[in-house]
Amino acid sequence: MDIIRAKMNSDEQMCCDFCKVPVFDYHRHCPRCLYDLCLDCCRDIRRSQTNVVRGEYAESKGPVVETNKDSASDRARLEPSAASVNDKLFPQPIDANDIGIRSLFPTWRVNNDGSITCGPHEAGGCGSSKLVLRRIFKINWIGKLVKSSQEMVNGCKAHDLENGCSSCNDSRRLDSIGRHNFGLSKCSDSDGIDGNSVYSSVLENLKYEGIVHFRKHWINGEPVIIRNAFEPSLSSSWDPLSIWRGIQEIMDEKLDENAIVKAVDCSNQSEVHIKLNQFIKGYSDGHKGEDGKLMMLKLKDWPPVSVLEEFLLCQRPEFIVNFPLVDFIHSKWGFLNLAAKLPPDALQSEVGLKLLIAYGRQQQPGKSDSVTNLMVKMGDVVHMLMHRAEMRYLCPKSLQPERPERIANGMAVHVNAHAPVQNLNLDMGEQSPEHTVSKSWSPSVGSSAELLSSSHSEQPKTNGVERSQPGALWDVFRRQDVPMLNKYLASNWEELTNNSQAMLSVKHPIYDQAVYLREHHKRVLKDQYGIEPRTFEQHIGEAVFIPAGCPYQVKNLQSTVQLALDFLSPESLRESARMGQEIRCLPNHHNAKLKMLEVPHN
């Protein structure tokens, strides 16, 4: 069929005008008012008219229609046929993820010829013109993909994977050969719940044994830890200042160290603005807010993805080459990364490289911890701990509210970078005992020399006890725990969010990323709901692989630099497609819709 291609810029993302999810390729379009409707919404409209059109037009469980007949009826049937293929691959109850278009707009119906009229005025459409099928990518890109796949697997030998790893199921063998051979480690407090162990392997063993053992765990949706992914002594080149200087070297224009960047305040998950040099200084020294309290900040969207990719290619090429399981994760050359198979102009915001720089500390003062709230992703993700630093600005007094005169004396730096910052040229001889800093610093807080001293003074030792100190604490739930987890979140939403006015507005609160489960919360989950997470620490040079659909949360035990890569493995495709249908039914303003992968239409 000659389907017209939509005109779009390479940096433009099309979204459905009704459910607001990103449109991947095929969709229906109104020539009159330019209204765009995704195929899932079209499917819902047709399903709502099942009693009217049954027997006359193909329903979602009808046979696939031949597309070589260029007739009006075949054009009308093309869309439900696409839904048929989707339902056969990923079976689910028909009404499990239906937005309820019929109840919202009863007049929005299927025409007698099988076409769909543009949405009514209340839905943002014109309500008169017929929607026509459109595409975004080239008509033959799937054919090329199939041919490339056939050429790639030609001559390859397939391995049948058993259900789980038999060598890891025997708890006696787990204890006896765990870290010496397969590297299996039990999670803390895992007694009484089956399957709460984490497969952990050394990178060299993985290269020698191949990915078969890894896949036996990965295909079951289990997290995996790869140790010794790089030499810990090399972590000194990954402190924030070294990264900033490396980026300066590859940029045509010199970066301003006083540039304003965005950060997230972990105490309330709000967005704040801070000067880049102040954030880098606070990475190892700590950073106080206007109230005099130590802040826990996470840098947001820095450096940009394009800059980070160039930085890695020019300044750190050995890390990408030696990264574990590169065939799974590489955004361009990973032949097992399904996201790498998309056309070059496909926009997938949650796929690719990210650098996550955040403050952290061992103390547990409450909600001021540096944490990544409980979340779940449609795709797979790997986090490698590149650098850690212990905050020196950690004495008992510094954790208490400061007196107003302390703030006025320049001990605190305003979060609002546009507000005046007083007394930045600190005299080291007149500092209070609370502000313990290196005497080798230069007088200027904003200078590169001071930042260098600040960032490199807390490097991990390659030998000795300090090297073994963890940088982050992970809690990872199983996919099958999600229903109970959602039930617990919904029942205790006000307590978990510390807000008596908080209203739960979604069916799946796990997508809100609004809570961090502490120890007493996890005890309740274990005792009353029968679920508990896999809990483990992450050290320098360890890569943590989290499958799609596994909820997880992270607490920084020190300030850390994590290199994160989002990808989509073949083993996670089914789970990702299921989650896509759930996210589509969230409220239109929900942040999860902006981050979703267009898996169901792939």
Side-chain angles (χ1 to χ4, degrees):
M1 298 177 61
D2 185 16
I3 302 174
I4 299 177
R5 188 178 183 183
K7 295 181 179 180
M8 294 179 58
N9 297 325
S10 58
D11 59 347
E12 185 178 357
Q13 173 71 67
M14 178 183 292
C15 291
C16 174
D17 285 316
F18 184 78
C19 69
K20 306 303 180 184
V21 301
V23 173
F24 174 71
D25 190 4
Y26 289 101
H27 60 283
R28 291 201 175 272
H29 174 79
C30 177
R32 180 178 179 183
C33 69
L34 308 184
Y35 191 86
D36 294 309
L37 196 67
C38 71
L39 296 188
D40 280 331
C41 285
C42 296
R43 177 203 59 193
D44 286 352
I45 295 174
R46 295 188 186 279
R47 282 178 172 174
S48 67
Q49 303 299 309
T50 300
N51 58 336
V52 177
V53 300
R54 187 187 302 273
E56 184 176 355
Y57 298 103
E59 181 45 38
S60 61
K61 291 190 176 181
V64 177
V65 179
E66 296 290 340
T67 58
N68 58 353
K69 299 179 181 179
D70 191 11
S71 64
S73 61
D74 286 335
R75 290 174 183 266
R77 298 182 193 185
L78 175 62
E79 172 196 304
S81 300
S84 170
V85 176
N86 186 68
D87 286 347
K88 287 181 178 180
L89 290 176
F90 314 109
Q92 56 183 311
I94 291 181
D95 297 326
N97 295 298
D98 195 317
I99 293 182
I101 295 180
R102 184 180 184 184
S103 60
L104 295 172
F105 306 102
T107 60
W108 201 354
R109 296 176 177 272
V110 179
N111 299 318
N112 292 332
D113 61 354
S115 63
I116 298 177
T117 304
C118 183
H121 293 285
E122 298 81 3
C126 64
S128 58
S129 181
K130 292 182 180 181
L131 300 180
V132 294
L133 195 63
R134 289 286 186 270
R135 58 184 173 89
I136 295 177
F137 300 127
K138 294 181 179 179
I139 196 69
N140 62 340
W141 82 271
I142 290 184
K144 289 183 177 180
L145 179 62
V146 172
K147 183 178 180 181
S148 299
S149 301
Q150 292 173 342
E151 293 175 351
M152 180 182 68
V153 302
N154 185 29
C156 294
K157 182 179 180 180
H159 297 274
D160 291 330
L161 296 180
E162 57 191 79
N163 186 17
C165 180
S166 59
S167 58
C168 303
N169 288 335
D170 191 333
S171 60
R172 291 170 296 181
R173 295 191 66 191
L174 177 74
D175 294 332
S176 61
I177 66 174
R179 295 187 178 275
H180 297 89
N181 189 356
F182 296 110
L184 284 160
S185 58
K186 281 189 176 180
C187 298
S188 60
D189 299 325
S190 62
D191 56 302
I193 296 198
D194 297 332
N196 252 9
S197 60
V198 179
Y199 168 61
S200 176
S201 177
V202 178
L203 179 60
E204 289 301 319
N205 291 346
L206 189 67
K207 291 180 178 179
Y208 176 77
E209 299 172 356
I211 66 172
V212 174
H213 193 183
F214 164 82
R215 288 194 68 227
K216 289 180 179 179
H217 294 273
W218 190 251
I219 201 170
N220 288 328
E222 300 176 18
V224 173
I225 303 173
I226 305 300
R227 292 174 284 124
N228 297 347
F230 74 95
E231 175 57 43
S233 62
L234 299 178
S235 69
S236 60
S237 64
W238 284 90
D239 72 283
L241 182 61
S242 296
I243 295 171
W244 175 67
R245 285 183 162 179
I247 291 176
Q248 274 191 316
E249 293 178 4
I250 65 174
M251 298 294 290
D252 295 332
E253 299 180 1
K254 186 176 180 180
L255 295 178
D256 183 8
E257 63 183 22
N258 293 315
I260 304 300
V261 293
K262 297 178 182 179
V264 175
D265 183 355
C266 292
S267 65
N268 54 16
Q269 299 299 313
S270 63
E271 183 178 290
V272 298
H273 294 83
I274 184 174
K275 291 182 179 180
L276 181 58
N277 62 345
Q278 292 177 353
F279 181 89
I280 294 176
K281 181 178 183 298
Y283 179 81
S284 56
D285 288 345
H287 181 84
K288 283 189 174 182
E290 293 179 339
D291 59 358
K293 294 182 180 180
L294 196 65
M295 300 186 70
M296 291 292 110
L297 301 177
K298 295 188 296 185
L299 201 55
K300 183 179 180 180
D301 302 330
W302 190 91
V305 175
S306 58
V307 175
L308 177 59
E309 290 179 347
E310 187 175 356
F311 166 76
L312 292 174
L313 186 63
C314 299
Q315 299 282 334
R316 308 288 191 272
E318 69 279 3
F319 284 94
I320 293 298
V321 174
N322 297 320
F323 209 95
L325 301 169
V326 68
D327 292 335
F328 273 94
I329 65 176
H330 201 284
S331 59
K332 295 181 180 178
W333 307 312
F335 67 88
L336 291 177
N337 181 7
L338 298 183
K341 310 304 178 186
L342 302 179
D345 51 349
L347 292 180
Q348 296 286 355
S349 59
E350 285 297 286
V351 174
L353 286 164
K354 295 182 182 67
L355 202 61
L356 308 178
I357 308 176
Y359 297 172
R361 57 181 175 180
Q362 290 277 1
Q363 283 82 351
Q364 298 185 14
K367 64 180 181 180
S368 295
D369 291 348
S370 176
V371 300
T372 297
N373 281 348
L374 185 67
M375 64 180 300
V376 63
K377 306 191 76 168
M378 275 187 70
D380 309 307
V381 64
V382 54
H383 287 248
M384 183 186 288
L385 185 58
M386 312 302 297
H387 184 270
R388 62 165 181 80
E390 184 177 356
M391 275 193 181
R392 288 194 300 263
Y393 207 174
L394 289 177
C395 59
K397 291 184 179 180
S398 66
L399 297 179
Q400 301 174 359
E402 295 289 336
R403 298 191 302 271
E405 57 268 23
R406 291 284 185 190
I407 302 175
N409 195 33
M411 292 298 99
V413 180
H414 291 280
V415 176
N416 185 355
H418 299 287
V421 180
Q422 300 178 0
N423 300 335
L424 286 183
N425 292 324
L426 302 175
D427 185 353
M428 305 314 299
E430 298 179 0
Q431 292 303 314
S432 66
E434 301 172 6
H435 198 250
T436 55
V437 290
S438 171
K439 293 183 178 180
S440 63
W441 287 0
S442 63
S444 174
V445 168
S447 66
S448 298
E450 179 185 357
L451 293 176
L452 181 62
S453 174
S454 170
S455 294
H456 283 281
S457 59
E458 292 294 335
Q459 297 305 315
K461 298 176 182 179
T462 56
N463 297 305
V465 178
E466 188 176 358
R467 178 182 178 183
S468 63
Q469 293 181 356
L473 181 69
W474 288 74
D475 293 305
V476 184
F477 289 88
R478 301 173 300 175
R479 288 172 178 168
Q480 55 266 40
D481 294 338
V482 172
M484 280 296 179
L485 194 55
N486 273 319
K487 183 179 180 181
Y488 170 75
L489 294 176
S491 301
N492 302 272
W493 192 248
E494 291 185 4
E495 174 194 349
L496 293 169
T497 56
N498 295 312
N499 184 0
S500 60
Q501 304 298 322
M503 297 295 293
L504 185 61
S505 59
V506 297
K507 181 180 179 181
H508 309 284
I510 188 68
Y511 292 116
D512 280 4
Q513 196 177 342
V515 302
Y516 180 84
L517 301 176
R518 305 193 181 277
E519 290 304 316
H520 64 281
H521 299 139
K522 289 186 283 185
R523 284 195 296 270
V524 172
L525 279 172
K526 179 179 179 180
D527 296 340
Q528 300 183 18
Y529 293 82
I531 62 174
E532 67 170 335
R534 296 172 169 96
T535 300
F536 53 88
E537 296 173 338
Q538 184 185 20
H539 300 255
I540 286 282
E542 292 185 346
V544 177
F545 286 76
I546 307 295
C550 288
Y552 67 92
Q553 61 180 24
V554 189
K555 180 184 185 302
N556 285 341
L557 304 177
Q558 301 187 56
S559 294
T560 61
V561 176
Q562 295 259 16
L563 185 62
L565 294 95
D566 295 280
F567 61 103
L568 182 60
S569 61
E571 294 84 355
S572 298
L573 177 60
R574 182 181 297 272
E575 177 66 15
S576 187
R578 185 197 65 79
M579 292 178 61
Q581 293 300 314
E582 285 185 353
I583 294 175
R584 175 177 167 267
C585 297
L586 296 175
N588 284 344
H589 63 275
H590 203 285
N591 189 49
K593 287 194 172 184
L594 301 177
K595 299 179 179 181
M596 69 177 294
L597 301 175
E598 273 299 284
V599 173
H601 295 168
N602 285 5

